[in-house]
Amino acid sequence: MAQFINGKDTLVTDAIDGLLASSGGRLYRLDGYPHIKVVCRSDWEKSRVALISGGGSGHEPAHAGFVGKGMLTAAVCGEVFASPSVDAVLAGILAVTGEAGCLLIVKNYTGDRLNFGLAAERARAFGLKVAMVVVDDDIALPDLPQARGVAGTLFVHKIAGALAEDGADLETVSDAAETAVRDMASIGTSLDTCTVPGSTKEDRIAAGMAELGLGIHGEAGVQQVAFEGAVSAMDMVLDKLVPHVAGQDCVALLNNLGSTTPLEMAVLAQALASSEKAKGIKAIIGPAPLMTSLDMHGFSVSLLPLTEDRQAALARDIPLPDWPGLTLLSPVSVKPLPDGLSPIKPIPSENPKTRALIDTCCDLLIAAESDLNVLDAKSGDGDTGSTLATAARALKGSMDRMPLADLTQLFRAIGNELSQTMGGSSGVILAIFFSATGDACANGTPTPEALLAGLQRISEVGGAQQGDRTMIDALKPALETLPQGVDAAALAARQGADGTAAMGRAKAGRASYVPEENLIGHNDPGAEAVARLFEGLATALKG
């Protein structure tokens, strides 16, 4: 997989220097590249307890992204998924530790424990006070003699950071960190493994499956399960976590493991907040990328029972852009639509022939969804079929509310329905088309001419004309030919749609942003939808 890196050997040092260059002077590094990679606070004067964490890179923003006032004093960075050396950890300790001492916050992996532990012994030989807390919050593999340290580590950073910032002594800071570690629990799930630079990706998670409890270095989890959506995935995670904190009010840290999109993370936040299994969760940190696993397409949840002191520490504002803060969960707030926005509801009426005609049109668009999406992917974002099908399904569901016996009001009602249920520019265009057609009918214009009046209105508003490679290239000849019968209109629509394949660069619509060579030989998806609609109607009416 292509990655925006210069090379595996300079990946971590390049990334650290990028972080420093964009920190506004908040951070500096020790002069030890490439073997010693230590990021420190620029405002530190050694009068309080220092907090040092770190480990392998690839978990950004952890750990260097959390160096600053209220959290870490220094972060010691290893290569991707590799523990930093003893010398690197010792350099960090010596650089930031004063008489108050320092606390090492270490995730429970053998390399980290050994290297941080030996560095602590050497620092003590220099007369420094050094304590170490080992975070083992991962509950995915209950049979492990030593659980892994994962995203719950960030609870420790923030709680210990608040105490250290307030001037608490090393014993107090260390005790609070140890207690938090004992109380917390974390687990993650993913739809895919991560891509380690310079290595072949392990494709062990099949399409349609999710892995529960995999590690932040891509280690295999406890089980693979069928993926059934965000709610199901969140429920599986909560099933594992909730017994560890049963009966206690908690804060949840919702962590993006790397490549899960913000849209997906928001859906997961909704699944968490609305789950019956999460009634004890009173606050949330995130959703945000906090302790990632390179580009892993997954998420993790960490739970920590809340005390008054912990809540105050976690909620305290700090000047670090990667820390999302703590937010109390609350019900979704909903207010009524403003007056004047909701359209006047028409009086429903029945006309079996009209209902059947609309149902047929809707069914034709629904059936063409996949084909139109494939066609649109060549000239747009691949959603024309889905957009039309979504509107068609909504329109079918609203038929009992429609004034089917009053054509003038029906056109207006369809326009209102599409304006509310059909996304993108297509929804607006068709809403204008049907509304303008209804207005023309209200003035006594015959239906064929009223439809052309609607077409003229969308050209005026949208700016597209015949020949611009849009749906108008099929719709205009079809409507002009409609008085000769549906068969003639279908033929005209097909000729118009097929003609778009040779037009080259589009002059309107989303396709106008696409290079001409990508469009040649492919029909415009909007025009194709019009052609299929009229062809289907012609076939249905013959039957």
Side-chain angles (χ1 to χ4, degrees), residues 462-477:
Q465 304 290 331
Q466 189 172 6
D468 287 349
R469 204 181 196 281
T470 69
M471 69 167 65
I472 291 177
D473 290 302
L475 187 57
K476 185 175 181 181

Side-chain angles (χ1 to χ4, degrees), residues 188-194 201-215 218-227 257 296-298:
T189 189
S190 183
L191 301 176
D192 200 2
T193 55
C194 56
K201 182 175 181 177
E202 183 182 4
D203 293 323
R204 68 171 183 270
I205 305 176
M209 301 294 287
E211 189 165 276
L212 181 64
L214 70 177
E219 307 98 322
V222 63
Q223 64 183 132
Q224 288 195 16
V225 297
F227 176 63
L257 282 169
M296 187 178 287
H297 189 186

